[in-house]
Amino acid sequence: MNEYTLPILFGVIIGTVARILMLRTDYRQYPTYLHGKVIHVSLGFIAAALGSVAIPAIMELEFTAVTFLTVAATQFREVRNMERNTLTEVDSFELVPRGKTYIEGIAISFESRNYLVIITSFISTLVFLVWNVYYAMIAAIACLIISRILMSGSTIKDIVDIKHHQLHFEGAGLYVDNIYIMNIGLPERQEEILKYGMGFVLTPKNMNVITTIANLGQRQAILHDVSVTLGVFRDSGTPALTPLIKRDLDDGRIGIFILPQIREVDKAIKVIGAVPVLENAIRMPSESGSVKKGGNS
């Protein structure tokens, strides 16, 4: 053992713990238990080792050794590609697919969490070497808290108001409130939809949200999460029983038509509200220079 052994070991442990804390198998069942978790914990261990070794390498003036961090960045980009490819392959077998935007968001999050692990190990090892283990523990706890905060984003309930509305037909047209969903001509299908279906309207809280919830990927994410959590009354080859989201072109509201197996309004509202706002779907038209100039004129 030398003077760097304990700091490196401490950094590796803290970094691995950080990755474990950021790794959750929730209602989406991803990463899968157990093999998916083993893969990501192993990658977290490697990231923690890279972050911990970087500080001793700098202190020993082995600056060329730090270049392996660039190699790590390349490898972790492959993690994103791996997750993207895997989820894309299995998505075609879902009754209600995730959609490409949701998949890309998941893939990015898995890559970024490895970088959070590197930073956590890096800071923990640095504080250990500069001061002592007690300060290092404080720094490690702070990094873990920050990592938890960074991995959690906004959800749908933060940007819209969610209200339940009864489904109804006007002729062959299915409506949620006054929002047209689709055309159903068969009376048998209409009865099934009224019996098993539920309708909700999402009203945006500001101008930016109108564009965000209009994104097709964000809409598909809502349908997928609701169908996974509450179940879905459909099978392959039944297009009339497909959950849909349509937009009111006048005010930007969106109407949601779902066919859940658990038909509880309050629970459905909570599930819709808990859907993450996808980073790739977020738009900020109010920040546009032309919009601001137009508003000031």
Side-chain angles (χ1 to χ4, degrees):
M1 294 178 64
N2 59 35
E3 59 180 315
Y4 299 124
T5 301
L6 289 178
I8 291 175
L9 183 61
F10 179 82
V12 170
I13 292 173
I14 293 299
T16 305
V17 169
R19 188 65 188 97
I20 293 173
L21 292 177
M22 288 187 285
L23 189 65
R24 294 183 306 189
T25 298
D26 54 18
Y27 61 91
R28 292 167 293 190
Q29 287 302 298
Y30 200 83
T32 54
Y33 181 85
L34 174 67
H35 295 89
K37 286 191 172 182
V38 170
I39 292 171
H40 289 290
V41 170
S42 300
L43 289 169
F45 174 81
I46 294 171
L50 292 172
S52 300
V53 172
I55 292 298
I58 293 173
M59 289 185 170
E60 291 295 324
L61 303 180
E62 296 290 342
F63 299 113
T64 55
V66 183
T67 58
F68 61 76
L69 290 175
T70 60
V71 178
T74 303
Q75 293 302 314
F76 292 140
R77 276 196 294 271
E78 289 302 315
V79 172
R80 187 203 297 191
N81 293 332
M82 175 188 72
E83 296 301 334
R84 182 194 297 117
N85 294 337
T86 300
L87 290 172
T88 300
E89 288 296 322
V90 302
D91 202 43
S92 59
F93 296 99
E94 297 277 1
L95 287 174
V96 180
R98 288 182 176 89
K100 292 183 178 180
T101 307
Y102 204 174
I103 289 174
E104 190 63 29
I106 294 173
I108 290 173
S109 68
F110 276 110
E111 178 187 5
S112 64
R113 288 172 190 178
N114 285 312
Y115 298 136
L116 288 174
V117 169
I118 291 178
I119 294 171
T120 299
S121 299
F122 185 94
I123 293 175
S124 299
T125 304
L126 176 62
V127 175
F128 193 119
L129 287 169
V130 174
W131 286 288
N132 55 47
V133 66
Y134 301 108
Y135 285 104
M137 291 180 66
I138 295 173
I141 292 172
C143 288
L144 292 176
I145 293 173
I146 293 172
S147 296
R148 293 285 294 180
I149 293 173
L150 290 176
M151 69 173 285
S152 60
S154 58
T155 55
I156 287 295
K157 67 177 180 292
D158 299 325
I159 63 174
V160 301
D161 295 317
I162 307 169
K163 290 187 178 180
H164 173 250
H165 287 266
Q166 293 292 338
L167 299 172
H168 64 277
F169 282 92
E170 295 181 11
L174 174 63
Y175 286 82
V176 176
D177 194 17
N178 65 332
I179 302 175
Y180 173 78
I181 301 298
M182 62 178 169
N183 193 71
I184 302 292
L186 296 175
E188 296 82 2
R189 283 286 183 245
Q190 291 186 2
E191 291 178 6
E192 285 181 341
I193 286 173
L194 293 177
K195 180 179 180 181
Y196 298 107
M198 297 177 70
F200 298 89
V201 172
L202 274 54
T203 304
K205 294 182 178 180
N206 57 56
M207 175 182 173
N208 295 326
V209 176
I210 293 175
T211 310
T212 299
I213 63 174
N215 183 277
L216 296 178
Q218 182 66 67
R219 292 196 239 173
Q220 189 62 37
I222 294 172
L223 292 178
H224 174 78
D225 277 9
V226 171
S227 299
V228 167
T229 308
L230 301 179
V232 58
F233 182 80
R234 72 160 304 206
D235 200 355
S236 59
T238 54
L241 299 179
T242 302
L244 289 173
I245 290 184
K246 288 298 180 70
R247 184 173 182 240
D248 188 327
L249 300 180
D250 293 327
D251 55 19
R253 295 178 305 147
I254 60 173
I256 303 177
F257 161 63
I258 57 175
L259 293 143
Q261 292 178 330
I262 302 174
R263 301 186 71 253
E264 297 181 21
V265 173
D266 292 339
K267 188 172 291 186
I269 289 175
K270 288 181 180 179
V271 172
I272 294 171
V275 175
V277 178
L278 306 182
E279 293 183 11
N280 293 330
I282 296 174
R283 299 292 182 270
M284 303 288 286
S286 64
E287 298 301 315
S288 170
S290 58
V291 171
K292 288 182 178 180
K293 289 178 182 178
N296 294 330
S297 60

